[in-house]
Amino acid sequence: MYGFTLSKTVLRPLVVALRPTAFHSIQASFPISATTQSIRFYAAKKKDAKGGKKSASSSSSQDNDDLPPPEFDVTKLQAKMRVCIDHLKQNLSTQITIGRANPALLDKVTVKGTEKKGSSGSIGKGVPLSEIAQISTKDAHTLMVVLNDEDYIGFAEKSIRDANLGLTPLKVDGTTLKVTVPKMNAEHREAVLKSISQLAEKHRTQIRDLRAHARTDLKKLKIKSSDEVKRHEGKIQHEHDAFMKEIDAAVESKKKEVSS
């Protein structure tokens, strides 16, 4: 409560504004004379302003409760996991040699060596072999590489040898290389199967990591409903399981190919 004092000089204009009965009551209790009189009035605390703020806050909270819960975008997770699976399949095709000729074995060979420009342009910074040559299968153990320009044949031959693929390129003429794919013996087969398992586990770990990151992103949404959180977690787990099965299928197919 807050107080203030009024002297008779300000009391008279105040009381005239009051109802007549109130004025007579005040005058009877505090007769105005030449002597200075004082009356203490108390003002009530301001509740309206504070109450108004509380009301606005309550209204805002109510509005937020009416909004739909934020939705987790599972398509981003799907895209990242798809990239992981595609990378695995590419590695199974290009890094795993199984004793059979396949043009994909040379997909990662990069030709470097000269700044001289021929009909196909400069390859000083390195270009994929497939961009400057046509690669085809001659038989089960032989690939044929035909260069677009004879200036590149020496660099292409060296690049294939240096790629550590276990392949042997031989020059046939000015623009053609014959690449021999060695037959697989028991020791090589065992090493290849081990490499496939290691490659598969590497990509399984990546899928698990993507699942963990997705769960972290879900928590950042701060969804209040536990049912909604469980629903989104179910989506994340579903994508994880689906891509894990895809890894298993790709690996089993490759192992079967190697063992046959």
Side-chain angles (χ1 to χ4, degrees):
M1 303 281 291
Y2 303 97
F4 58 89
T5 303
L6 296 178
S7 66
K8 72 171 184 175
T9 58
V10 296
L11 177 61
R12 186 176 302 277
L14 174 63
V15 296
V16 296
L18 299 175
R19 292 167 54 187
T21 54
F23 171 74
H24 291 305
S25 176
I26 293 174
Q27 190 176 33
S29 300
F30 304 96
I32 301 173
S33 64
T35 305
T36 301
Q37 302 288 337
S38 66
I39 301 176
R40 184 176 297 273
F41 290 90
Y42 294 92
K45 290 184 178 179
K46 295 182 179 180
K47 295 183 180 180
D48 293 342
K50 186 175 180 181
K53 291 182 181 180
K54 183 176 181 181
S55 176
S57 175
S58 176
S59 176
S60 176
S61 177
Q62 181 66 33
D63 290 342
N64 289 335
D65 290 340
D66 293 339
L67 293 175
E71 191 73 14
F72 178 77
D73 188 0
V74 74
T75 58
K76 293 181 179 180
L77 175 62
Q78 290 172 336
K80 292 176 182 179
M81 289 186 171
R82 174 53 56 195
V83 169
C84 178
I85 296 299
D86 290 344
H87 188 257
L88 168 64
K89 291 180 177 179
Q90 183 182 23
N91 287 339
L92 289 174
S93 297
T94 60
Q95 294 185 8
I96 305 298
T97 56
I98 60 174
R100 295 176 187 172
N102 183 347
L105 293 174
L106 301 178
D107 280 354
K108 289 197 172 183
V109 175
T110 300
V111 181
K112 300 179 181 179
T114 181
E115 296 293 340
K116 179 181 177 181
K117 288 190 176 182
S119 59
S120 300
S122 174
I123 58 172
K125 295 182 179 180
V127 295
L129 177 62
S130 59
E131 289 188 9
I132 59 170
Q134 287 76 48
I135 306 170
S136 59
T137 302
K138 181 179 180 181
D139 55 47
H141 301 286
T142 308
L143 293 172
M144 301 303 294
V145 180
V146 181
L147 280 299
N148 298 338
D149 193 304
E150 62 181 7
D151 290 336
Y152 299 158
I153 192 164
F155 300 102
E157 181 180 0
K158 182 178 185 300
S159 296
I160 293 172
R161 292 183 187 276
D162 294 346
N164 297 320
L165 297 172
L167 305 177
T168 307
L170 295 174
K171 186 176 179 180
V172 176
D173 57 39
T175 58
T176 306
L177 294 171
K178 181 174 73 172
V179 181
T180 302
V181 181
K183 293 181 180 180
M184 184 180 294
N185 55 32
E187 183 179 355
H188 185 203
R189 181 177 288 105
E190 184 178 349
V192 168
L193 290 172
K194 183 178 180 180
S195 296
I196 292 173
S197 296
Q198 291 174 342
L199 197 59
E201 189 54 36
K202 175 183 176 181
H203 286 79
R204 287 190 186 101
T205 299
Q206 291 176 2
I207 293 295
R208 294 187 192 103
D209 289 343
L210 289 171
R211 177 184 61 180
H213 291 319
R215 286 174 172 172
T216 299
D217 292 340
L218 177 59
K219 289 181 180 178
K220 290 178 181 179
L221 294 178
K222 296 181 179 180
I223 299 175
K224 296 180 179 180
S225 171
S226 60
D227 290 338
E228 281 296 305
V229 172
K230 289 179 181 179
R231 183 173 69 86
H232 290 306
E233 286 180 343
K235 286 183 179 180
I236 294 171
Q237 186 63 39
H238 174 76
E239 296 302 327
H240 168 275
D241 295 345
F243 281 101
M244 281 294 194
K245 288 180 180 178
E246 195 166 341
I247 288 177
D248 293 342
V251 169
E252 287 304 313
S253 177
K254 193 66 177 182
K255 284 184 175 182
K256 186 177 179 180
E257 185 181 356
V258 170
S259 300
S260 61

